[in-house]
Amino acid sequence: MLPALSHGDFIFFCPFLKPKVGAVVVVSSRGHGLLVKRIQSISKDRVELEGDNQRLHSSICDAPVPKSSIIGRVIIRLRLNELPRVWKLI
């Protein structure tokens, strides 16, 4: 999902928001586990997904997936280097 998301980013998602085209979602996929992808299109009961990184291909983007596989819509992204560091010396 580069450049939108980087390795080590923290994401927060909401399971109650409706999926919409262009939204970044968390998807549960058999054989792949949890994935973060962008919605390319929506039909009655399926969605087509895409990744933001055009240099890499994901096999989950080859075919529509059931809407029911969407766990939630990403609402916040925090980069690890943007989080305040709290150090405690013992």
Side-chain angles (χ1 to χ4, degrees), residues 3-39:
L5 298 172
S6 298
H7 181 74
D9 285 355
F10 290 92
I11 59 169
F12 297 88
F13 64 91
C14 180
F16 306 112
L17 295 175
K18 284 186 170 183
K20 65 179 187 177
V21 173
V24 177
V25 293
V26 178
V27 179
S28 178
S29 169
R30 288 187 194 164
H32 297 288
L34 295 179
L35 302 170
V36 179
K37 297 291 179 187
R38 190 174 300 278
I39 296 178

Side-chain angles (χ1 to χ4, degrees), residues 42-90:
I42 301 174
S43 65
K44 183 178 179 182
D45 59 346
R46 297 220 176 267
V47 295
E48 288 189 44
L49 304 171
E50 64 183 350
D52 285 357
N53 190 341
Q54 299 302 316
R55 295 182 299 160
L56 297 175
H57 176 74
S58 176
S59 60
I60 195 168
C61 298
D62 289 340
V65 297
K67 276 187 184 177
S68 61
S69 66
I70 296 175
I71 294 178
R73 209 165 93 192
V74 174
I75 56 172
I76 297 174
R77 180 220 62 211
L78 295 174
R79 294 236 154 114
L80 186 60
N81 61 357
E82 294 173 354
L83 296 176
R85 298 194 190 275
V86 178
W87 298 97
K88 182 178 178 183
L89 298 175
I90 300 176

